[in-house]
Amino acid sequence: MIGIRSSERSVVRQAVRFLGIAAVSATGLAHADPYSEPHLDVIPRTAEEAARIAAVTAPPTDFSTASQFEERSAGAATVRVRGNADAFSQPSGNIPFEEELTFKVGNGLFRKLWVSSPSSTLASDGLGPLFNARSCQRCHIKDGRGHPPEHGDDNAISMLMRVSIPGGYVEKTAELEAYLATLPDPTYGTQIQDFGVQGYPAEAQIDVTYTEEVITLSDGETASLRRPAYTLTDLNYGPLHPDIMLSPRVAPQMIGLGLLEAIPAADILANADPDDVDGDGISGRPNIVWSTEFDQYMLGRFGLKAGNPTVRQQSADAFAGDIGISSPLNPNGAGECTDLQVDCQNAIHGDGDDRVHEIDDEILDLVTFYSRNLAVPARRDVDDPTVLRGKEVFHATGCASCHTPSFVTHRLENQPAQSFQLIWPYTDLLLHDMGEGLADFRPEAQANGHEWRTPPLWGIGLTEQVSGHTYFLHDGRARSLLEAILWHGGEAQKQRDAVIDMPSADRDALIKFVESL
């Protein structure tokens, strides 16, 4: 590690362990094509298929009626809308019968409450010692969206705080010229765990306060935005690094992940315009991240900054960071405990038995299968005149420049539920500068501190039904879809201003259209 001071080496070792991106050999797989798709068994498209796809995903020109197949948000994987909180918890509509049991077992593991070691329940031990939740479901409640702490007495169980400091060492390649390396906080790692098993105090607690800002809209209407301020209290392991960077994150909804994973990388890259060559003010660009699963750089698709390349790695990283559970991809039994948290490192962990790790490949595969196959509910009211007007406003305002309506997934050899589906996720999976107001000022791989991945909009109108709230954006600051739009800045400033200035009837129609998704 030439050029790194000896005092930094232990921190860099933590970066290797936590992030898997540091000190990559210049002769290793880091130089594999970062846009290759080793996670997919792809059957190449024919020229005829490519032409059909181009036609079916072309922007609409007639807004008097719904587009063909538009009500089936996830193609054949779409399911009917349930009228209760289970709307996001159904298996893909086209899942083979013989795989329904696999989905249900994965669901059980997703909901499973882990316990601390040592325990007589060897298949369930290994929690922590420091953690954010005891199960996946505790953050992704009903497979839906999390929320920030409320009313001063609600813990942040579906919200976490990423932390890091500037610096680090990454072997540069032509593809990674703009890689923005960071290091874990020497004491607290890459995220704050706000719970600990018995005898191990939590790292800290997240405290958020808000100030209100009134926005004047057209036609005499107003809206109020709440601007959050975050602090970490009850720091039980010493002070934070003086250059600490904080990034609050609420748990996103889980639907349609396998379909997003199956979108061809080439189709995602076709929407990238990092230098804004077309002059529309939109300069989306991909995030390239390290895959611990395949030992190479890959296109990031998952996470609020597209910091993870696959559903399997996203699942393994959540097990490690959020629950403190080791796996083949994250083998440290101490979870996210740092070298300075000596008691945590020396604690009894749940690995070392027949499983080797606290979860093995089989359990990780089952949870991954479940996460890939959580179904997207069908659209509602696609032919409603107000919804159709809102769709027209959505396109005319330029919202579709980032929230790309539709894609067709790869034709896949061994994933029938995700294979060759026309889907309507309303995302380009690219990074966009969202302005100073939404900036967290914390880089992640090639994403800078102002950039966020365009979130999928499918299912967003069912948030209150599933999650019991209408909090949106990366930290849940927006209390409605309108507030979420009004927080847009940077590349979306023009669209945000257009929403403020448009007639209130069009603004209402736009919101109704988004709610129909």
Side-chain angles (χ1 to χ4, degrees), residues 228-496:
Y230 296 96
T231 56
L232 295 176
T233 63
D234 303 322
L235 293 163
N236 286 310
Y237 294 86
L240 296 162
H241 191 280
D243 298 325
I244 194 71
M245 298 181 287
L246 307 179
S247 183
R249 312 281 179 92
V250 296
Q253 63 187 31
M254 296 285 295
I255 57 174
L257 299 185
L259 294 164
L260 297 177
E261 188 178 51
I263 296 173
D267 291 355
I268 296 171
L269 296 173
N271 292 319
D273 185 15
D275 299 318
D276 191 21
V277 173
D278 62 9
D280 67 352
I282 306 298
S283 53
R285 61 194 191 93
N287 200 0
I288 304 301
V289 300
W290 180 251
S291 167
T292 55
E293 186 178 2
F294 295 103
D295 292 324
Q296 67 173 71
Y297 290 102
M298 290 178 63
L299 174 66
R301 299 172 187 249
F302 303 106
L304 292 164
K305 286 182 179 277
N308 246 317
T310 65
V311 175
R312 192 170 190 266
Q313 183 167 322
Q314 179 81 8
S315 301
D317 288 357
F319 267 117
D322 303 349
I323 312 177
I325 298 294
S326 64
S327 70
L329 294 186
N330 293 288
N332 182 26
E336 231 246 330
C337 297
T338 67
D339 293 340
L340 297 181
Q341 294 170 332
V342 178
D343 290 344
C344 183
Q345 289 286 349
N346 293 334
I348 298 174
H349 305 299
D351 52 4
D353 55 21
D354 291 342
R355 298 168 298 171
V356 181
H357 307 296
E358 291 163 335
I359 61 170
D360 55 18
D361 275 316
E362 183 178 9
I363 292 178
L364 183 57
D365 287 344
L366 286 165
V367 173
T368 300
F369 184 86
Y370 172 75
S371 300
R372 278 186 179 137
N373 284 283
L374 280 164
V376 181
R379 281 277 308 277
R380 284 84 55 210
D381 304 320
V382 293
D383 288 315
D384 181 273
T386 304
V387 169
L388 290 170
R389 174 57 185 159
K391 177 183 174 183
E392 185 174 12
V393 172
F394 184 89
H395 283 268
T397 306
C399 304
S401 297
C402 300
H403 292 282
T404 304
S406 60
F407 291 92
V408 173
T409 61
H410 272 304
R411 193 181 291 281
L412 300 173
E413 187 72 49
N414 57 355
Q415 291 178 235
Q418 287 83 44
S419 179
F420 209 59
Q421 299 300 317
L422 171 62
I423 62 174
W424 304 78
Y426 285 86
T427 175
D428 59 8
L429 295 179
L430 296 172
L431 299 171
H432 295 275
D433 184 335
M434 295 302 294
E436 196 81 4
L438 287 179
D440 67 349
F441 306 104
R442 178 183 178 270
E444 187 172 329
Q446 289 190 312
N448 66 40
H450 286 74
E451 290 178 316
W452 299 95
R453 182 203 66 164
T454 306
L457 297 182
W458 52 12
I460 198 167
L462 298 172
T463 297
E464 186 170 16
Q465 176 181 311
V466 171
S467 302
H469 64 77
T470 55
Y471 295 149
F472 302 107
L473 300 178
H474 66 279
D475 56 0
R477 70 177 69 186
R479 294 161 294 191
S480 67
L481 290 172
L482 177 60
E483 286 187 28
I485 293 169
L486 296 178
W487 272 108
H488 283 47
E491 295 176 38
Q493 184 71 38
K494 179 180 176 181
Q495 286 71 29
R496 180 254 194 193

Side-chain angles (χ1 to χ4, degrees), residues 7-62:
S7 61
E8 295 176 326
R9 292 184 186 276
S10 65
V11 180
V12 172
R13 283 195 294 271
Q14 290 183 42
V16 176
R17 175 158 57 90
F18 293 146
L19 306 178
I21 62 172
V24 177
S25 168
T27 59
L29 290 176
H31 290 279
D33 178 7
Y35 302 122
S36 65
E37 298 164 303
H39 61 299
L40 300 174
D41 192 357
V42 176
I43 301 172
R45 292 174 176 172
T46 66
E48 180 185 2
E49 287 174 339
R52 286 168 50 206
I53 290 167
V56 78
T57 58
T61 56
D62 179 7

Side-chain angles (χ1 to χ4, degrees), residues 77-250:
T78 309
V79 295
R80 66 176 179 84
V81 180
R82 294 202 171 193
N84 57 25
D86 292 327
F88 288 173
S89 300
Q90 308 309 307
S92 299
N94 57 350
I95 193 173
F97 176 77
E98 60 271 18
E99 292 184 342
E100 289 187 11
L101 178 60
T102 304
F103 179 87
K104 291 176 180 177
V105 174
N107 182 21
L109 293 166
F110 193 83
R111 298 165 59 90
K112 177 179 183 176
L113 295 175
W114 294 85
V115 299
S116 58
S117 301
S119 170
S120 59
T121 56
L122 295 181
S124 298
D125 69 345
L127 175 69
L130 303 176
F131 61 97
N132 295 106
R134 291 183 59 197
S135 74
C136 307
Q137 185 78 209
R138 288 287 181 94
C139 289
H140 302 278
I141 304 166
K142 304 299 289 184
D143 305 297
R145 192 181 305 271
H147 62 82
E150 298 176 283
H151 310 309
D153 60 354
D154 178 31
N155 63 44
I157 200 166
S158 59
M159 180 182 193
L160 59 81
M161 184 70 74
R162 297 265 190 242
V163 294
S164 56
I165 62 175
Y169 173 83
V170 174
E171 182 75 43
K172 298 295 191 296
T173 70
E175 298 85 4
L176 297 174
E177 184 177 354
Y179 207 95
L180 303 171
T182 61
L183 293 172
D185 179 271
T187 302
Y188 291 96
T190 61
Q191 73 187 56
I192 297 296
Q193 280 81 32
D194 51 358
F195 290 95
V197 302
Q198 186 173 4
Y200 297 85
E203 289 184 321
Q205 301 300 316
I206 303 172
D207 183 66
V208 56
T209 58
Y210 298 98
T211 56
E212 295 284 340
E213 302 177 10
V214 176
I215 305 295
T216 301
L217 310 176
S218 65
D219 295 345
E221 296 184 354
T222 62
S224 182
L225 305 184
R226 58 177 190 172
R227 182 178 295 275
Y230 296 96
T231 56
L232 295 176
T233 63
D234 303 322
L235 293 163
N236 286 310
Y237 294 86
L240 296 162
H241 191 280
D243 298 325
I244 194 71
M245 298 181 287
L246 307 179
S247 183
R249 312 281 179 92
V250 296

